[in-house]
Amino acid sequence: MLLYLCKRLVLAVTISVTAVTLLFLMIHAVPGDIASILLGPRATPEMKAQLYQQMGLDKPLVVQLATFFGGLLHGDLGFDVFSQRPVADIVLEQLPYTLELILASILWAAAIAIPLGCYSAVRRNSAMDHIVGVMAVSTIAIPSFVMAVYALLIFAVSLRWLPAIGAGEGFADELIHLLLPSFAVGVGWVGYIARLLRASMLETLGENHIRTVRAFGVSEWRVITRYALPLAILPTVTILGVGIAWLLSAAVFVEVVFARPGIGALIVQAVNSRNYPIVMGTVLVTTFLIVIATTVSDLVNAALDPRIREEL
Amino acid sequence: MQPLIRAFGKNSDMASVEFIPAQVRKEPGAARTFLRQLGKNRLGTLGAVLVLILLSSAVFAPLIITHDATRIMVGPRLADPSSEFWLGTDQLGRDTFSRMIMGGRIPLLVAFASLGSSLVVGLALGLIAGFGPRWLDNLLLFLFDTIRSFPGIIFALAVIALLGPSMSSVILVIAITSMPIYARVVRTQTQALRNSEFVAAERSMGAGTTRILVFHMLPNVIGPLLILVSMDVPAVIAVEAGLSFLGMGVRPPTPDWGAILNEGYSNIQQSAWLVIAGGIPIVMATLGFTFLGEALRDIFDPKLRKYL
């Protein structure tokens, strides 16, 4: 396990370094002059020269890359020339909103999917089981922004039950503002999780200790919630790590639709104003998030299932 | 056989062997077998019907539309459906129904262009990784893993920030991000085959690497790959529509489902029809291609599940 841990960590670090290098080169392969794009058509040569110096663009590419990596190690993602603030501050300021949204959507997905998955495992081949089967492939196929716009149309515009935009202020208000957006993100995962849970639940229900518990006369409800579910839910937990990339993508759209602050709103705004330092910073932070999440989930998987360790 | 026939001669007495026509019952054709299997899969049938509707409406779009999809008319704005405008009009007075029908062309075009190029590149890189030297394999695998660690839509937005919003940027970014999975599948299959006996036989007959790759590896890996690609179509349609929704896809006034949905979103307080006209086709397309892709996989290659 220790060997696997080391190998996996080395892989994660190398992937991060390669990703950063690729992104860096990509930004510098931009057609046209960055300074004129950033400053607009009315920039004077002096302004451009100053910006060049400020961003370190007058140095050779290798030096720029080295400086950039050096900065990264100190948590420095560059400097935003528009707001005159460090990029890291701006991105980290928005990150909690997105993480909050992702967490809430996982809760939504779990709250709907766990009962569905248990029910369809217990009542196999019932109508509900077939519906869950269809949902497993269909809910994840429907794009989150369509889901978000329709949720907005139904619950906020037509029924006026929930607020349409913003993140709210104060704890209770923030929770209410989180309900619809997180639902729009989470519902995509419902089918998938329910299907996964159903499979592992069926496996668990066939095991000896469940038969023993049943033989003791424990009620079926208790058998499922107390003895089967905690075991059956394990494989589901490990896919959360892999799913974070999907959740982040979905969150981008949902933040825009509900006019919430967050990583998604930040990058869309930055792309529109062609603010490269912010775009780069956001992509870096999210890439790190994904690398960390996949590494952790791989390690958890390897801890649970020794066969995986040999695959690397 | 030649000397044997010559020895006995065609009309010799020994030639009492008769050709017995084999009692072959006519096997149903491959297409018919496929259709019957698809017919048994109810979701697959639904998917096929949805896909057929969308494809034909995109192909015959100019014949179906009732108004010019981009012409701004002096008529009512954000009107409700009427006999003149079947799905109402948008904020510029354009006919929503015509825009919806024409709007299907871009997503389908983007899907075919991006997945097609991604398929070709993934196939080539996968074959190279699977058949080439070990260091090249490791290098390519590493590249695939790195591309896969980029965060989907956020990476797409970054590329678009660099290249500017256009259809070709969208095609490029989708092609780049979907390539690694194809290349990985091809690589795994190639590696499994490279030590097989028929390849060794071919090699002993003096076949070069190119010949082995093109005539012997390619036919063996292309089937599963095509199914994988077909299962990616809904995701591509979703990304394309999503980027258009954010205003980073095709430029106005070109009609596109994502753009229509965005216009509907901006005017959601006044009218729900634009949101319906933009969103329902996206849902139909993603679900249709998903159901069809799942059915294709189950029919042709149930083993493929393990790759996903």
Side-chain angles (χ1 to χ4, degrees), chain A residues 210-228:
Chain A
I210 297 292
R211 192 189 53 198
T212 313
V213 173
R214 279 198 179 128
F216 273 97
V218 175
S219 73
E220 191 62 22
W221 168 256
R222 211 175 140 75
V223 168
I224 288 166
T225 54
R226 194 60 219 290
Y227 294 91

Side-chain angles (χ1 to χ4, degrees), chain A residues 220-290:
Chain A
E220 191 62 22
W221 168 256
R222 211 175 140 75
V223 168
I224 288 166
T225 54
R226 194 60 219 290
Y227 294 91
L229 190 58
L231 283 173
I233 210 158
L234 271 181
T236 322
V237 174
T238 59
I239 63 146
L240 288 179
V242 188
I244 190 150
W246 189 89
L247 286 169
L248 269 172
S249 290
V252 171
F253 291 113
V254 170
E255 278 169 9
V256 173
V257 170
F258 288 95
R260 280 176 61 84
I263 291 283
L266 181 69
I267 192 170
V268 170
Q269 203 191 343
V271 169
N272 276 327
S273 58
R274 297 218 154 188
N275 190 343
Y276 294 123
I278 300 271
V279 172
M280 176 90 170
T282 321
V283 178
L284 281 180
V285 169
T286 44
T287 308
F288 289 148
L289 265 184
I290 290 175

Side-chain angles (χ1 to χ4, degrees), chain B:
Chain B
M1 289 308 277
Q2 282 294 351
L4 232 124
I5 290 174
R6 214 178 297 137
F8 295 117
K10 263 208 159 166
N11 299 319
S12 88
D13 295 342
M14 298 290 286
S16 54
V17 181
E18 228 178 298
F19 174 69
I20 305 166
Q23 296 285 315
V24 188
R25 227 178 63 234
K26 197 165 176 289
E27 286 276 327
R32 185 176 290 186
T33 320
F34 165 67
L35 282 181
R36 206 176 40 211
Q37 273 177 311
L38 187 63
K40 271 189 220 150
N41 187 330
R42 263 181 287 169
L43 273 186
T45 316
L46 176 65
V49 170
L50 285 175
V51 168
L52 268 182
I53 292 176
L54 291 166
L55 281 182
S56 46
S57 90
V59 171
F60 300 112
L63 304 175
I64 303 172
I65 56 172
T66 51
H67 294 78
D68 184 344
T70 52
R71 213 180 87 221
I72 297 169
M73 282 175 278
V74 202
R77 278 147 204 236
L78 293 171
D80 282 342
S82 60
S83 56
E84 169 78 18
F85 304 106
W86 294 355
L87 280 174
T89 56
D90 68 2
Q91 77 286 0
L92 295 173
R94 297 174 295 195
D95 179 39
T96 306
F97 175 74
S98 306
R99 286 183 71 73
M100 180 184 91
I101 296 290
M102 289 300 276
R105 297 189 132 193
I106 305 275
L108 295 176
L109 183 70
V110 167
F112 284 110
S114 57
L115 288 180
S117 43
S118 170
L119 173 85
V120 173
V121 177
L123 192 61
L125 289 183
L127 283 174
I128 293 172
F131 217 77
R134 181 78 197 241
W135 63 269
L136 194 60
D137 180 32
N138 284 337
L139 188 76
L140 285 172
L141 268 190
F142 196 68
L143 181 75
F144 303 154
D145 282 351
T146 309
I147 296 180
R148 277 173 74 177
S149 72
F150 286 134
I153 203 80
I154 295 180
F155 177 68
L157 286 173
V159 172
I160 283 170
L162 296 176
L163 299 178
S166 73
M167 199 171 86
S168 39
S169 313
V170 176
I171 292 177
L172 179 74
V173 79
I174 295 173
I176 293 176
T177 45
S178 41
M179 184 272 289
I181 296 197
Y182 305 152
R184 252 181 177 280
V185 171
V186 173
R187 173 193 168 266
T188 316
Q189 294 256 16
T190 314
Q191 270 195 333
L193 288 176
R194 70 183 288 180
N195 294 325
S196 62
E197 283 173 0
F198 77 95
V199 173
E202 187 70 13
R203 198 171 278 251
S204 70
M205 286 192 281
T209 310
T210 324
R211 195 188 153 78
I212 292 178
L213 284 182
V214 175
F215 289 100
H216 300 280
M217 292 298 185
L218 195 65
N220 276 303
V221 295
I222 195 85
L225 194 61
L226 281 176
I227 298 169
L228 266 186
V229 171
S230 80
M231 295 184 69
D232 269 353
V233 174
V236 170
I237 291 179
V239 170
E240 191 279 337
L243 290 173
S244 295
F245 177 75
L246 295 176
M248 316 265 176
V250 290
R251 307 277 71 209
T254 314
D256 179 273
W257 293 335
I260 299 173
L261 188 68
N262 185 26
E263 285 155 12
Y265 166 67
S266 310
N267 299 294
I268 202 165
Q269 301 284 355
Q270 284 88 43
S271 162
W273 289 103
L274 270 178
V275 166
I276 292 169
I280 297 293
I282 300 177
V283 174
M284 274 174 67
T286 46
L287 285 187
F289 278 105
T290 303
F291 293 155
L292 184 63
E294 296 268 331
L296 287 182
R297 183 197 59 197
D298 289 347
I299 292 172
F300 288 118
D301 198 350
K303 277 185 300 183
L304 206 61
R305 261 175 201 275
K306 67 171 184 244
Y307 286 121
L308 303 176

